[in-house]
Amino acid sequence: ADRAAAEAFVAAERKRNPDATHHCFAWRVGRPPAERSSDDGEPAGTAGPPMLSALRAAAVTDVVAVVTRWFGGTRLGKGGLVRAYGGVVRAALEQLPVRTELARVRIAVRVPAARIGAVRRLVHPPEVELAGERWGEEVEVELAVVPPREAALRDALAALGLAAAPRERTGLP
């Protein structure tokens, strides 16, 4: 979810295997992504950067990769380490379930109950989604819209005589 969670995950892996020689890692969190990697005692640039490069190439975020290694006596050389660490992350990414998030702008609008059907007809997933409703004297509706459709949605709401205000941006920038 954030840097602290990524660091906690790495720390938990270190604690789970305290006898390992190396706990090399790379993580990307947030939008735009904050990134960090570590060679954790391997020769500089041979573990963390290739792992981070694999995460970047896959265009993923909100992800942590930790490769735990026990030295067994075979020296791989710098090129071998780069291939091994980057390769294991690429292989893991092939198995990783990925969820795509679209950038969204949340728009709140108050709607008389009699007009709620007209507002619901503006919902067309995945571009425009109903993010929430709260019923009272009026219905407080929250819509999530992809930025390219925001102006059209605002125009449609205005045509219904409804004023909308942006609430917050979510998802990718």
Side-chain angles (χ1 to χ4, degrees), residues 3-16 63-66:
R3 293 173 188 220
E7 293 293 344
F9 183 85
V10 173
E13 289 302 306
R14 287 183 194 281
K15 188 174 181 180
R16 196 166 73 130
V63 64
V64 180
V66 179

Side-chain angles (χ1 to χ4, degrees), residues 22-60:
H22 306 282
H23 298 281
C24 304
F25 68 85
W27 52 256
R28 299 182 82 217
V29 296
R31 292 165 194 85
E35 302 175 328
R36 184 157 179 235
S37 68
S38 170
D39 294 316
D40 192 39
E42 293 285 19
T46 61
M51 294 170 65
L52 184 56
S53 179
L55 297 178
R56 285 179 184 149
V60 294

Side-chain angles (χ1 to χ4, degrees), residues 49-141:
M51 294 170 65
L52 184 56
S53 179
L55 297 178
R56 285 179 184 149
V60 294
T61 187
D62 300 335
V63 64
V64 180
V66 179
V67 178
T68 301
R69 179 174 179 244
W70 289 261
F71 180 68
T74 302
R75 296 195 180 273
L76 300 176
K78 287 185 176 183
L81 289 169
V82 168
R83 286 187 297 278
Y85 281 102
V88 76
V89 172
R90 283 188 297 279
L93 286 167
E94 289 175 8
Q95 304 299 315
L96 182 72
V98 177
R99 181 183 77 213
T100 301
E101 291 186 15
L102 299 174
R104 300 203 182 275
V105 175
R106 291 190 179 258
I107 296 174
V109 61
R110 291 181 182 262
V111 182
R115 314 270 331 264
I116 191 66
V119 172
R120 286 184 178 162
R121 283 190 288 281
L122 300 175
V123 174
H124 298 284
E127 292 87 11
V128 180
E129 295 182 340
L130 181 63
E133 288 180 341
R134 240 183 19 229
W135 287 76
E137 288 183 30
E138 292 184 308
V139 184
E140 293 179 24
V141 177

